[in-house]
Amino acid sequence: MSVFCIILIVLSTICLIVGLLLSGSGSTTGLTAIAGQDLELFKKTKDRGFIKILQMLMFFLMFAMITVAIVSAIVTK
């Protein structure tokens, strides 16, 4: 198993946990953030504190996963 594969597994596990923590907030479930359906970073919402931090963390984790996947595809080529 390569280093990139291990990094992707760890990031995806963290994303799943954050998504489950977000599942009780808002009008939609937290796992919709994984699919990108509930990501409105620049819209004024009433989400504050811990929920807002988790939403932004989910965004950056998904960006990191895509970056690692692209880098691993380039390096292993």
Side-chain angles (χ1 to χ4, degrees), residues 4 70-77:
F4 294 113
I70 291 171
V71 168
S72 69
I74 292 171
V75 170
T76 58
K77 202 171 199 184

Side-chain angles (χ1 to χ4, degrees), residues 22-63:
L22 283 170
S23 65
S25 68
S27 60
T28 58
T29 62
L31 293 178
T32 57
I34 292 175
Q37 297 173 1
D38 194 27
L39 190 59
E40 298 173 358
L41 290 178
F42 304 108
K43 180 181 177 186
K44 290 206 175 234
T45 61
K46 293 183 180 182
D47 294 331
R48 307 237 192 287
F50 186 66
I51 300 299
K52 193 66 169 177
I53 291 170
L54 286 178
Q55 288 174 346
M56 294 188 81
L57 179 66
M58 178 69 85
F59 173 74
F60 290 119
L61 284 173
M62 296 309 288
F63 183 74

Side-chain angles (χ1 to χ4, degrees), residues 12-26:
S12 64
T13 304
I14 294 171
C15 284
L16 181 63
I17 292 169
V18 170
L20 290 174
L21 287 173
L22 283 170
S23 65
S25 68

